[in-house]
Amino acid sequence: MREILLDTPRGRLAALRHGPAGAPPVLALHGWLDNAASFLPLLPHLPDIDLVALDLPGHGHSYHRPPGAEYGLIDYLLDIDAAFDALGWARGRLLGHSLGGALATLYAAAAPERVERLALIEALGPLAGTPGGALSRLREALLQRRGPVGRSLRVFPDPAAAVRARMQANGLSEPAARLLVERGIAPVEGGFVWRSDPRLRLTSALRADEGTVREWLAGVECPVRLIAAAQSPPYFGAELRQARLACLRDGSAVVLPGGHHLHMETPAPVARELAAFLAG
């Protein structure tokens, strides 16, 4: 595993790269407030691919959006496009977890000529808006942006305190939380703060309805492999998964024991379901 930097017209993207040159190229996209270290536990089990685990903008060591900019879906898709260009990949495969899986799904639909295979962990398309919630979401989003964002970041006295906070927030084991924290904190006077952009926590003003999400899914042309956790969060339950899976032209899914970060907590069975698919 080696650290790489990708200079793009949008900003500098950081990533971790592992695998033999000439192997099938795979761009890995992590979840919300995670970073590229999310995929470290999988690496020993995926030897036959050229894996580039990206820090999404606003996360890890990648650039933060300029003042006044947003972390919208289309902006992330442009970053994925830029990463492909910077890597010199005309085509490749995508591996995404949670938010990264939602973005990977949308990119596969928007740029089918660039995506050969799509592997997803705990995601199949983005979160949809809930009926009756659009007005309150819009008002909350505007209200949040009227005031200062992230002026007083929480300072942890040492990395161990940040690890404990991450374990409590996500129910992660200590080793999994430590991997994310080691890449996700920066030293400041008096301790450490999260590297992630505080604007990532702002409410998005708009969400697509479920019908629109399913139209996007129907536009995915490549084969799709979905790994779902038996203890999935409520917003990604079995009924929704099956309905969305039915929209795909070529999709398959498997449910494995574990929670939302099962690729970090139990990487071997997850990799067994993905290795042959990604290597192709």
Side-chain angles (χ1 to χ4, degrees), residues 31-35 154 156 160-173 176-178 180-181 184 194 261 264:
W32 181 61
L33 299 181
D34 289 352
N35 52 60
R154 179 181 178 184
F156 296 96
V163 170
R164 290 193 295 272
R166 192 63 203 260
M167 291 172 65
Q168 184 176 11
N170 298 110
L172 292 171
S173 67
R178 179 162 32 86
L180 296 175
V181 166
W194 299 120
H261 283 78
M264 298 191 74

Side-chain angles (χ1 to χ4, degrees), residues 72-111:
L73 293 177
I74 187 62
D75 301 288
Y76 278 125
L77 300 192
L78 290 169
D79 289 307
I80 298 170
D81 220 34
F84 267 69
D85 290 341
L87 289 164
W89 295 353
R91 287 169 60 80
R93 295 140 196 232
L94 289 175
L95 167 62
H97 168 248
S98 197
L99 169 65
L103 299 175
T105 307
L106 290 181
Y107 188 76

Side-chain angles (χ1 to χ4, degrees), residues 7 16 25 32-33 48 56 84-85 93 100 112 123 128 135 140 144 150 166 214 221 224 231:
D7 286 311
L16 297 172
W32 181 61
L33 299 181
D48 299 324
L56 290 169
F84 267 69
D85 290 341
R93 295 140 196 232
L135 180 58
E140 181 181 0
Q144 289 177 350
R166 192 63 203 260
R214 295 185 187 188
E221 299 179 5
V224 180
Q231 299 169 9

Side-chain angles (χ1 to χ4, degrees), residues 29-131:
L29 308 174
H30 60 78
W32 181 61
L33 299 181
D34 289 352
N35 52 60
S38 171
F39 296 101
L40 289 176
L42 283 175
L43 292 182
H45 310 284
L46 297 174
D48 299 324
I49 59 174
D50 178 10
L51 180 70
V52 175
L54 198 68
D55 283 334
L56 290 169
H59 299 76
H61 294 262
S62 285
Y63 81 98
H64 289 194
R65 304 244 191 262
E70 293 282 331
Y71 287 91
L73 293 177
I74 187 62
D75 301 288
Y76 278 125
L77 300 192
L78 290 169
D79 289 307
I80 298 170
D81 220 34
F84 267 69
D85 290 341
L87 289 164
W89 295 353
R91 287 169 60 80
R93 295 140 196 232
L94 289 175
L95 167 62
H97 168 248
S98 197
L99 169 65
L103 299 175
T105 307
L106 290 181
Y107 188 76
E113 74 283 358
R114 302 201 79 164
V115 184
E116 297 173 331
R117 288 172 180 258
L118 176 61
L120 304 170
I121 303 169
E122 282 285 275
L124 182 56
L127 293 173
T130 55

Side-chain angles (χ1 to χ4, degrees), residues 191-214:
F192 298 83
V193 296
W194 299 120
R195 289 183 181 273
S196 54
D197 191 332
R199 291 176 293 172
L200 292 167
R201 297 180 179 272
L202 293 176
T203 298
S204 56
L206 300 171
R207 276 185 181 171
D209 60 74
E210 183 63 22
T212 299
V213 173
R214 295 185 187 188

